Amino acid sequence: MAEVGRAAVRDPGELLPGGFWEAVAVWLEKPQVANKRLCGVRLEARRRAALPRVSPRGRRPNAGPEQEEPGAAGRGPRPPEGGPGRGPEESRHRRQQGEGPGEAAAAPLLVEGPGQPDKAGAGEGDFSAWDLDSLWDDFSRSLAGGSHELLAFLTGARAGSQPEAPSELDVVLRTVIPKTSPLCPLAAPRREVVVQDVLNGTVTFLPLEEDDKGNVKVDTNNVYQIRLSGSKEEWFISILIFCPERWHSDGTVYPKPAWLGEELLARLARWSVGSKKSGFKSTLSLISIIEYSKTYQALKEKHKDMVKVWPEVTDPEKFVYEDVAIAAYLLILWEEERAELGLTAKQSFVDLGCGNGLLVHILSAEGHPGRGIDVRRRKIWDVYGPQTCLEEGAVTPSDETLFPDVDWVIGNHSDELTPWIPVIAARSHYSCRFFVLPCCFFDFVGKYARRQSRKTQYREYLDFVTEVGLACGFHVQEDCLRIPSTKRVCLIGKRRTYPPTGEAPMDEQRTREKAERVRNCAALPRDFVDQVVLQVGHLLLDAERPCAGSAPSGSLKAWNRGGSLSLADVASGLDGETLRRLKRECGGLQTLLKNNHQVFEVRSGRVHLRDWREERLRKQRQPEARRRLFSEAFKTRLCWFFSHHPDGCALPSDCCPFAHGPEELRPAQTPRRKQVL
């Protein structure tokens, strides 16, 4: 036995020992976070057990494992009462919440022979935890029959001090899946038994090997252990190897001991005191990781030349490999759906707001009939060829924008269309499904307004889109994609919450709710809106201000910025019928002011005229992508201040983003806010 690394852990927040088990759960369930040469793992089975009892009087040890209660085989264990086993408990809780059949399915211990189907990740649940029970029985007998060194390694100092009271163990069977690549196409998955001793703070990893007859046993060469020791005053995390002289590093599943004692140990120490429960699902929790890895590598090899011919200004590697990963996910999701439903024909699709169209191109090349629609044609479209169906046109949600001929509606970074994707899928036909990958935050009106401060904006928006899907009658599933993006959570609606006979009343309910939404946020008559905007503008120009005629620092032009008024003061300056009409058809005065953001700015309940000199400075500090979107809308709308402000526009014509007169107007390159009919 050798200790390859030991780290002292400062715990000012008193997160240990619970934080240690949260860190262990990451290495157990998502080792690819630390070891970039791994694709992931599949948890096969789980049980509770006990090590053999070694009697001080030399009696024969009891090698039998602790019995499970009926029906408990394969489910997550319960840590000891009062114990700090938050890692195992959290892992069990996630699987019970339906993280995906492919993760929890128990696969056979024996490797498939020639001609047998590959059941890895099939998620059918054909195999119980009997295989793990059988393996553990054999392993326990070998420990009791002579493997005293390994037994001592598993138990530590406890072996001699508490021989009659072994603690309950959490035993997990997992398959570790290495990444495949053209340089390493034959990397095979490896199985391990992981033994977690919550009471004594140890986690031992036992590799499995198969002999010529197909029997599986523990390979003692690459056994290692993660151990927590100490107390509230001083904690230590260490990594130990059972037989360092026989350790074999394959460079993927089993790195060099130095990596374990340095890289992995440092991450575990950091995670133990800084770990925070994620509000998202595990990556690729709904599909087979093995099949995904194979498909991703194949697609990546097939479409790698696309990076060389990418004509867009966007980063080719990011967009190409991101769409390759999304396509790989959908292909495996659809393949498993066909197997589940007994289908032979490949699913059809429509990608709304398809952008560069690469996802449509890849899916079509793999035999799935479909098309993409976007408001603006991209240069890359000409590269794909006629077999990729891409259409230029605006998608305006309405009764006419339905797709009764497709199986799946896709929204991949679909911006304003994102909340409409479940609605369009639900109303297209009963069997239509949806896949949406939210990015920018839009509701049915415009920019999404936050409702809660306890959640991140991203988490809150995902919940909002999920609520839309549920209201449309879908069982909504969530998964995390493996893409180079911070916004990588997708939402999937595959099944309805009601039978086919309930489609008519459900669609009537959806239509009624949509009509109410439209009435509350549709554009009022343009002349009415213009009149209200002009009235409010005059109220602000006439309002008292701290320094009349002042201008931002460095400005040579004194420009009347007007004063600020509370919403109540603005409302008092309008007649009652106007306010009632706004409330009835627009959601209120504040909604109209925010929708006319070229003219007004609402901050802390007070209304101001927007000073575009300050806006120009702010936009110069924005990221390149935001500035590019802003430049695409340059001079596509008339400047309100040029036409209505007594001093005209505060900016010269060449600096103002809006047109100073009709002669400066140019065609819009991006759609304006979609009006619902």
Side-chain angles (χ1 to χ4, degrees):
M1 180 182 76
E3 185 178 79
V4 296
R6 182 181 179 89
V9 182
R10 296 180 65 245
D11 185 25
E14 298 186 354
L15 298 175
L16 296 174
F20 170 75
W21 291 108
E22 292 183 5
V24 166
V26 176
W27 180 240
L28 174 68
E29 301 175 16
K30 295 184 284 187
Q32 71 275 10
V33 174
N35 186 350
K36 301 302 181 182
R37 296 183 178 181
L38 298 180
C39 182
V41 299
R42 187 176 67 250
L43 302 182
E44 308 282 12
R46 199 166 197 142
R47 60 158 300 153
R48 286 176 294 155
L51 286 171
R53 296 181 179 179
V54 181
S55 171
R57 299 180 182 177
R59 295 194 304 267
R60 177 181 175 85
N62 175 16
E66 180 177 319
Q67 296 297 315
E68 297 275 358
E69 61 268 18
R75 294 201 300 266
R78 292 191 300 270
E81 289 292 332
R86 279 188 277 172
E89 180 70 21
E90 183 183 8
S91 172
R92 176 171 65 93
H93 175 72
R94 280 204 294 270
R95 281 200 313 283
Q96 287 179 340
Q97 293 298 315
E99 198 167 283
E103 293 287 353
L109 284 172
L110 297 181
V111 177
E112 293 84 20
Q116 287 183 288
D118 176 13
K119 296 188 180 294
E124 297 295 332
D126 295 334
F127 300 93
S128 70
W130 179 89
D131 302 286
L132 178 58
D133 294 343
S134 176
L135 179 65
W136 185 256
D137 286 346
D138 294 340
F139 179 59
S140 297
R141 281 191 290 269
S142 70
L143 290 176
S147 300
H148 299 303
E149 295 85 356
L150 184 54
L151 179 60
F153 183 74
L154 284 165
T155 59
R158 175 173 58 84
S161 59
Q162 292 182 338
E164 297 294 338
S167 63
E168 186 176 70
L169 305 177
D170 174 19
V171 182
V172 180
L173 174 64
R174 72 171 186 170
T175 298
V176 184
I177 306 166
K179 285 183 178 178
T180 59
S181 68
L183 299 178
C184 187
L186 300 178
R190 297 291 300 270
R191 283 196 172 135
E192 294 180 332
V193 170
V194 183
V195 181
Q196 302 184 87
D197 189 340
V198 177
L199 184 62
N200 292 281
T202 63
V203 188
T204 308
F205 295 81
L206 306 171
L208 301 179
E209 63 176 354
E210 181 186 9
D211 61 21
D212 296 336
K213 297 181 180 179
N215 299 315
V216 176
K217 63 179 181 179
V218 172
D219 176 10
T220 58
N221 291 338
N222 282 17
V223 173
Y224 68 99
Q225 184 181 86
I226 303 171
R227 181 180 296 177
L228 176 69
S229 58
S231 62
K232 288 185 178 180
E233 289 72 27
E234 194 172 29
W235 293 95
F236 295 94
I237 298 177
S238 54
I239 296 182
L240 304 94
I241 291 179
F242 176 56
C243 291
E245 66 277 4
R246 297 208 305 265
W247 180 272
H248 171 68
S249 174
D250 61 6
T252 52
V253 177
Y254 299 107
K256 295 180 179 179
W259 186 90
L260 293 174
E262 295 172 8
E263 295 291 332
L264 178 59
L265 181 60
R267 288 176 180 265
L268 291 170
R270 186 170 65 251
W271 295 340
S272 294
V273 293
S275 61
K276 194 175 182 182
K277 284 189 178 181
S278 172
F280 305 106
K281 290 285 188 181
S282 296
T283 303
L284 307 179
S285 64
L286 298 181
I287 63 171
S288 164
I289 298 178
I290 293 179
E291 294 304 318
Y292 169 84
S293 180
K294 294 177 182 176
T295 303
Y296 173 76
Q297 292 299 335
L299 292 178
K300 186 177 178 181
E301 182 69 17
K302 183 184 296 186
H303 298 281
K304 64 181 180 181
D305 291 338
M306 193 65 68
V307 175
K308 302 176 184 177
V309 299
W310 193 256
E312 306 292 336
V313 296
T314 51
D315 180 7
E317 289 197 357
K318 177 188 184 300
F319 281 88
V320 170
Y321 295 136
E322 179 172 327
D323 282 353
V324 164
I326 296 171
Y329 184 92
L330 285 170
L331 289 172
I332 299 304
L333 182 73
W334 291 348
E335 181 181 344
E336 294 178 353
E337 181 185 58
R338 292 196 302 274
E340 178 185 351
L341 301 179
L343 303 176
T344 55
K346 291 190 174 182
Q347 296 90 331
S348 59
F349 68 93
V350 61
D351 185 354
L352 302 181
C354 63
N356 58 53
L358 181 56
L359 179 61
V360 178
H361 175 66
I362 297 173
L363 295 176
S364 299
E366 297 302 312
H368 288 270
R371 68 187 192 273
I373 306 173
D374 199 275
V375 71
R376 181 167 60 91
R377 184 181 183 84
R378 307 299 203 275
K379 298 175 184 177
I380 191 66
W381 289 13
D382 297 327
V383 177
Y384 300 142
Q387 72 279 4
T388 302
C389 183
L390 298 170
E391 303 173 10
E392 183 179 9
V395 178
T396 303
S398 66
D399 289 340
E400 286 72 38
T401 315
L402 301 178
F403 302 92
D405 57 336
V406 303
D407 299 314
W408 283 79
V409 176
I410 296 174
N412 174 21
H413 298 319
S414 46
D415 295 342
E416 295 96 334
L417 284 173
T418 296
W420 289 102
I421 297 297
V423 180
I424 293 172
R427 300 204 63 221
S428 291
H429 60 92
Y430 178 79
S431 299
C432 190
R433 289 84 80 191
F434 76 84
F435 169 94
V436 63
L437 182 62
C439 180
C440 300
F441 308 139
F442 289 92
D443 58 20
F444 295 103
V445 186
K447 285 289 186 179
Y448 176 78
R450 296 197 63 178
R451 306 171 187 173
Q452 303 181 30
S453 59
R454 295 184 178 181
K455 299 179 181 179
T456 66
Q457 185 178 20
Y458 185 42
R459 177 70 266 173
E460 183 182 331
Y461 186 68
L462 290 171
D463 292 343
F464 163 70
V465 180
T466 299
E467 290 174 7
V468 174
L470 293 172
C472 290
F474 284 102
H475 287 292
V476 182
Q477 295 176 290
E478 180 179 304
D479 204 355
C480 207
L481 304 185
R482 188 167 291 165
I483 57 176
S485 173
T486 56
K487 306 293 192 302
R488 58 193 189 98
V489 177
C490 68
L491 301 173
I492 300 170
K494 292 173 61 178
R495 296 177 179 84
R496 303 296 177 99
T497 58
Y498 57 93
T501 54
E503 176 61 24
M506 189 66 185
D507 190 59
E508 182 180 352
Q509 177 182 333
R510 286 190 297 256
T511 306
R512 184 171 63 251
E513 290 176 353
K514 183 166 79 74
E516 292 171 358
R517 270 198 308 272
V518 168
R519 185 173 63 251
N520 287 337
C521 59
L524 291 159
R526 190 69 250 175
D527 57 348
F528 175 79
V529 173
D530 291 344
Q531 182 61 34
V532 174
V533 170
L534 193 60
Q535 284 182 263
V536 177
H538 287 158
L539 290 173
L540 294 173
L541 287 170
D542 295 337
E544 293 184 5
R545 48 195 179 276
C547 184
S550 63
S553 176
S555 174
L556 298 177
K557 179 182 179 182
W559 184 76
N560 185 0
R561 303 177 68 181
S564 70
L565 295 172
S566 66
L567 286 168
D569 290 337
V570 173
S572 65
L574 302 176
D575 63 85
E577 178 56 33
T578 296
L579 292 174
R580 283 190 292 272
R581 187 173 184 183
L582 289 174
K583 185 67 176 176
R584 184 174 63 249
E585 299 187 46
C586 184
L589 174 63
Q590 184 171 350
T591 302
L592 181 139
L593 297 176
K594 288 186 174 181
N595 286 347
N596 286 273
H597 61 277
Q598 181 199 156
V599 184
F600 304 114
E601 187 176 10
V602 182
R603 301 193 307 266
S604 303
R606 298 191 68 83
V607 185
H608 309 255
L609 286 175
R610 190 176 296 274
D611 190 336
W612 280 92
R613 293 170 296 186
E614 297 176 350
E615 293 295 320
R616 186 165 174 261
L617 293 175
R618 277 198 288 266
K619 292 186 182 301
Q620 289 174 352
R621 295 190 291 267
Q622 288 180 347
E624 173 64 25
R626 294 282 301 275
R627 295 203 303 270
R628 185 163 54 247
L629 290 174
F630 184 71
S631 66
E632 290 178 347
F634 191 75
K635 300 293 186 183
T636 58
R637 298 178 63 189
L638 288 170
C639 176
W640 184 91
F641 293 100
F642 178 80
S643 303
H644 300 289
H645 194 285
D647 295 335
C649 181
L651 293 175
S653 174
D654 59 336
C655 297
C656 180
F658 303 99
H660 287 194
E663 64 278 1
E664 290 189 3
L665 278 174
R666 67 187 187 93
Q669 297 184 25
T670 55
R672 298 185 183 181
R673 181 174 300 150
K674 296 173 175 59
Q675 304 297 332
V676 183
L677 304 178

